[in-house]
Amino acid sequence: MRVYVPLTLPGLAQAHKAGELGSGPLTAYAVTPALREWYVSDDIEELEYAALNRAAAASLRLLAGDPEAPRRRIVVAVDVPDRDASTDPDRGLDAGSVGEVRIAGPVPLGKAAAVHADADDAQADVTAAADALGAADQGDDDARFVVDGAEDHELLWFGVQEIPALLG
């Protein structure tokens, strides 16, 4: 199963240094039954893209909680055995957790298929979105518009061997 793990640049640096993504449990996003129902598509590429975008939104939340982190959303795509990714049926009812899975233990960075990251030109919009996230969560339409501005930026694809350059 392909899962998408949301990170920040400091989180990616830590994973690169340790050779693994966290010690577990990890929150990731994948094509789950709830995501299929929410997205209403049978196209696996569209569903994977939706899971990637859910992880990008979670990365934005991580940025909002870490004002020192550089303002780039980071998502690591990793292939794990299906049995290693579990869903919480109670969380599946929460619209904010659609596609969310838990990985019980650490995931070797060597299993990563790719890293997705914002381009440098997204920094201003991602910064504004991270700053506006709390107000958007409280129902502020203007703040929601700012958060959506970050979502207008497509994450770029990087090979795992390019992580040192991303961290540069």
Side-chain angles (χ1 to χ4, degrees):
M1 166 184 285
R2 169 90 22 115
V3 299
Y4 299 91
V5 180
L7 293 175
T8 61
L9 275 174
L12 181 62
Q14 184 178 12
H16 182 65
K17 182 178 178 181
E20 65 185 21
L21 294 168
S23 59
L26 298 173
T27 298
Y29 294 82
V31 177
T32 62
L35 183 89
R36 286 180 187 276
E37 185 177 321
W38 172 74
Y39 198 74
V40 191
S41 175
D42 289 330
D43 184 331
I44 191 64
E45 288 184 17
E46 286 181 17
L47 292 166
E48 296 257 345
Y49 185 70
L52 171 64
N53 284 330
R54 302 294 287 181
S59 176
L60 182 65
R61 289 196 174 283
L62 293 173
L63 289 173
D66 183 359
E68 300 301 315
R71 297 331 219 186
R72 290 177 76 182
R73 297 170 297 164
I74 303 292
V75 176
V76 178
V78 184
D79 294 316
V80 299
D82 288 357
R83 69 182 178 278
D84 289 353
S86 62
T87 59
D88 180 344
D90 294 331
R91 293 272 300 152
L93 301 174
D94 174 15
S97 67
V98 169
E100 188 177 285
V101 295
R102 296 267 188 233
I103 311 297
V107 176
L109 194 55
K111 289 190 175 193
V115 176
H116 301 271
D118 278 309
D120 290 336
D121 68 352
Q123 185 173 354
D125 288 338
V126 171
T127 299
D131 292 344
L133 196 54
D137 287 347
Q138 297 299 316
D140 183 319
D141 290 337
D142 291 334
R144 172 54 41 203
F145 181 78
V146 172
V147 170
D148 290 346
E151 294 172 4
D152 290 342
H153 292 275
E154 297 285 331
L155 296 181
L156 302 176
W157 183 95
F158 295 90
V160 176
Q161 70 277 11
E162 296 177 274
I163 290 174
L166 272 171
L167 299 174

